[in-house]
Amino acid sequence: MSYDTQVPPVAPQVMRNGLGTAALILGIIGTISGFIPLFFWLAGILGLIALILGLVGKGRVKRGEANNKGVALTGVILGLASLILSVVGLVIVVTAVSDVADELDKSIKDTAPKDPSSSAPASKAPAGDAGKADKNKGQGLADGDSSVYDDDLKVTVSNPKPFSPGEYAIGHTKGNKAYQVTVLIENGGKEKFDTTLVSFSATAGKDGVAAEQVLDDKVGAGFEGTIMPGKKATVTIAFDAPKDAKNLTVEVNPGFTYDASQWELKVG
């Protein structure tokens, strides 16, 4: 008597190719991100993950658990490329930020008031000349003094004069006194100067109360447009001060990259 012995068929082994495929996809995305400087961080993260997954995928291929050796190897290569590109992108961004910071610092230094200790003494003005010798300090200037900046921009404020606000003036309080001053800006540099950001403010009296700027049809309009090299521009502005005020401190700021200068003026 014979018996037929049937061996059950062996189930085919399922290949575990997922990690190699994932490494390839992440490597591609990471490499593309690496060519965009601001996405260097994304390239670094994806490159590291792709490298790890690719190496694990290669291990599965060696053990016979996967059959996509080329895909996993490509994922490893692209992961390394993403890491390299991320480092390059980081260097580019850091260098760019450093350059911008240096330029901004240089711009601020160029527009700061000159230090009298590092420059030649100012020449004395001729006797009887209404304009006094230039002062390089941005604080405590007197009427007619000039604040000169490193880019050769010069700001001068005149002696205050009593001012009678019009009937519809803004900024004048009844019982107070108003004073007008002339602000002269001379551009002695080589670049045109934009007057858009020029601002004025003032305080009055021993307590330094805010002196509001007076606006009417006679005064109040500030500088407009640009001042070309070798040219100058003048405006007249007025401030409202308490009746008993004996001094008026006028501050002029040529722009946010400049240091403001102050003039201590006698009134009353």
Side-chain angles (χ1 to χ4, degrees):
M1 182 179 292
S2 63
Y3 297 91
D4 294 333
T5 302
Q6 294 182 354
V7 180
V10 179
Q13 183 179 0
V14 178
M15 295 291 101
R16 303 170 63 189
N17 296 329
L19 292 182
T21 303
L24 176 63
I25 295 174
L26 294 178
I28 293 174
I29 298 175
T31 303
I32 294 174
S33 301
F35 286 103
I36 306 175
L38 294 180
F39 284 84
F40 67 89
W41 57 271
L42 180 60
I45 295 174
L46 296 181
L48 180 60
I49 297 175
L51 178 61
I52 295 174
L53 295 181
L55 292 175
V56 176
K58 285 186 61 182
R60 286 185 176 181
V61 172
K62 288 183 179 181
R63 295 191 300 269
E65 299 175 2
N67 58 2
N68 61 343
K69 179 179 179 181
V71 173
L73 179 60
T74 304
V76 171
I77 295 173
L78 291 177
L80 287 173
S82 299
L83 289 174
I84 294 173
L85 290 173
S86 70
V87 173
V88 175
L90 175 61
V91 172
I92 293 175
V93 171
V94 171
T95 302
V97 172
S98 178
D99 290 342
V100 171
D102 290 342
E103 288 296 326
L104 182 59
D105 184 61
K106 180 180 178 182
S107 176
I108 292 175
K109 289 181 179 179
D110 288 344
T111 54
K114 292 181 178 179
D115 184 355
S117 63
S118 62
S119 59
S123 57
K124 295 183 178 180
D129 192 346
K132 300 180 181 178
D134 288 351
K135 296 292 183 71
N136 292 322
K137 284 286 188 180
Q139 301 285 334
L141 302 172
D143 60 273
D145 287 345
S146 299
S147 179
V148 184
Y149 294 87
D150 285 346
D151 61 352
D152 292 326
L153 187 75
K154 184 165 69 173
V155 181
T156 307
V157 174
S158 70
N159 184 46
K161 298 179 180 179
F163 175 74
S164 298
E167 182 179 357
Y168 302 103
I170 300 174
H172 176 61
T173 301
K174 187 176 181 180
N176 285 356
K177 291 184 177 181
Y179 300 92
Q180 70 178 40
V181 296
T182 299
V183 180
L184 170 67
I185 295 182
E186 300 178 67
N187 184 6
K190 298 179 180 179
E191 302 291 337
K192 64 181 181 180
F193 173 71
D194 186 359
T195 64
T196 305
L197 298 178
V198 177
S199 62
F200 315 99
S201 62
T203 57
K206 61 180 180 178
D207 295 328
V209 297
E212 190 170 355
Q213 185 174 345
V214 179
L215 305 175
D216 67 3
D217 57 342
K218 301 176 184 178
V219 298
F223 290 98
E224 296 182 356
T226 58
I227 304 176
M228 300 303 292
K231 301 297 182 179
K232 61 182 70 175
T234 304
V235 297
T236 299
I237 56 176
F239 294 99
D240 194 54
K243 185 177 181 180
D244 58 349
K246 301 299 182 182
N247 68 288
L248 180 68
T249 302
V250 176
E251 180 174 286
V252 180
N253 191 338
F256 72 92
T257 59
Y258 291 81
D259 291 335
S261 298
Q262 292 185 346
W263 282 258
E264 299 290 345
L265 310 176
K266 295 181 179 180
V267 296

